[in-house]
Amino acid sequence: MELKLNNGVTMPALGLGVFQSPPEETTAAVQTALEVGYRHIDTAAAYGNEREVGEGIRRSALPRGDVFIETKVWVSDYGYEQALHAWDKAVGKLGVDQLDLLILHQPAPDRFEKTIAAYKALETLLKDGRVRAIGVSNFMPHHLQQLLAETDVVPAVNQIELHPYFQQPAVQTIDEDHRILTQAWSPIGGITFYPGWGENRKNVMRDPVIAGVAQSHGKTPAQVMLRWHLQQGRSAIPKSTNPSRIAENFDVFDFELTAAELAAIDALETGVRSGPDPDVARPERFAMVIPEA
């Protein structure tokens, strides 16, 4: 299943995410995913595993043009020249000479003038053909409005936390208004039960409504949530390093949720964010230096 971006580039709707995947496990996870049938890998400079992603792609022996590679510029590389160099670092680690999608990882509102400058660098990379599409991540409506007012190219993608318990309808609406594809990170609610993200998290994987839908289709809760994203026109990038889970997450193209089932999942919205708030500055985290190699 492919989605057409606002510049005409097509992108596989379902991708493998590698957030928090240890480098030593990432190569095997990527290789497994590509063997299963994935053709879209999402990584980021801040994940520290771009090199291993590239190695997994090479081990798959697939032609470069068959794999859609998405990565992200970290905040410490914001600014025009810095973001151009971030591309150099990314392609060097990934072992490619072109990126399919390059996005800004955070809006970083405490230094938004650098965010704008970094996005203008992405526009240059797009014009030069060094990337095929550009976008953003974790941008809320007010961030998007400011970006659109100060730049020329509408982002192709906005990657945000999105799962049944946190659906960000306002972000989805502004994305749709500007033909920006909404891409879900934590699409099956993984962030809701990662250790260290706070107490009293409700695990969406154990939600009785989703369990009931899953049982009626002979599928797992994760598969139901991924199908929910795909049927509503979103991209989703589930993360796993477990071979059976990687395969399970891709096995979502042989069933369809009813309108009533989609509505029942929509009704699970809590409005409670589980990951970091993009409007809260994190100076220590933002200062993390991305190595040259």
Side-chain angles (χ1 to χ4, degrees):
M1 179 179 175
E2 300 224 320
L3 297 167
K4 183 175 280 192
L5 304 181
N6 59 19
N7 68 346
V9 168
T10 57
M11 179 183 79
L14 192 64
L16 177 76
V18 296
F19 173 57
Q20 292 189 335
S21 295
E24 63 274 11
E25 297 177 16
T26 300
T27 296
V30 169
Q31 186 176 2
T32 296
L34 295 172
E35 289 170 355
V36 164
Y38 291 77
R39 292 296 180 265
H40 175 185
I41 309 295
D42 171 80
T43 183
Y47 299 169
N49 56 19
E50 287 173 310
R51 183 176 300 284
E52 289 75 20
V53 166
E55 180 61 23
I57 293 170
R58 281 188 294 278
R59 289 187 188 179
S60 76
L62 287 167
R64 168 67 187 93
D66 286 3
V67 183
F68 191 99
I69 301 175
E70 174 179 2
T71 191
K72 310 175 192 72
V73 180
W74 186 243
V75 179
S76 56
D77 283 333
Y78 283 8
Y80 185 80
E81 294 297 337
Q82 296 96 318
L84 290 178
H85 185 54
W87 178 90
D88 293 326
K89 290 195 279 190
V91 295
K93 291 170 188 171
L94 286 160
V96 298
D97 55 16
Q98 184 189 52
L99 298 172
D100 296 292
L101 177 61
L102 183 60
I103 65 179
L104 300 184
H105 206 145
Q106 295 284 345
D110 63 331
R111 63 200 75 188
F112 205 71
E113 70 288 345
K114 284 194 167 187
T115 306
I116 295 292
Y119 191 81
K120 289 181 176 179
L122 267 55
E123 291 180 318
T124 296
L125 293 165
L126 179 67
K127 184 178 178 182
D128 291 348
R130 286 182 278 176
V131 301
R132 298 174 64 227
I134 61 175
V136 295
S137 182
N138 300 304
F139 272 53
M140 301 296 99
H142 52 289
H143 305 135
L144 281 172
Q145 287 164 346
Q146 191 172 348
L147 181 81
L148 292 166
E150 297 185 43
T151 58
D152 297 322
V153 177
V154 176
V157 167
N158 184 15
Q159 184 186 118
I160 57 172
E161 178 187 348
L162 206 164
H163 47 78
Y165 285 175
F166 189 62
Q167 299 173 33
Q168 307 217 59
V171 183
Q172 291 200 63
T173 296
I174 191 171
D175 285 352
E176 188 173 352
D177 288 346
H178 293 280
R179 296 180 59 234
I180 300 167
L181 177 69
T182 299
Q183 184 177 62
W185 65 257
S186 191
I188 55 178
I191 198 82
T192 62
F193 56 94
Y194 284 164
W197 284 97
E199 300 305 317
N200 303 315
R201 298 293 190 206
K202 285 177 65 184
N203 184 345
V204 67
M205 294 281 275
R206 295 178 185 152
D207 187 275
V209 170
I210 294 172
V213 174
Q215 186 171 11
S216 71
H217 289 278
K219 291 290 184 177
T220 66
Q223 289 169 325
V224 165
M225 284 185 271
L226 292 170
R227 188 70 205 175
W228 171 72
H229 287 292
L230 297 178
Q231 283 187 224
Q232 294 184 334
R234 292 185 293 275
S235 168
I237 45 169
K239 172 259 174 176
S240 182
T241 57
N242 179 304
S244 62
R245 289 274 188 272
I246 290 170
E248 174 191 312
N249 290 342
F250 197 72
D251 185 21
V252 294
F253 299 104
D254 61 348
F255 74 108
E256 192 163 321
L257 302 176
T258 66
E261 288 169 337
L262 292 171
I265 298 171
D266 287 345
L268 298 175
E269 164 74 2
T270 67
V272 177
R273 184 186 299 281
S274 295
D277 185 338
D279 272 316
V280 175
R282 295 182 289 153
E284 288 185 12
R285 176 70 174 156
F286 287 175
M288 178 182 65
V289 174
I290 303 301
E292 290 293 321

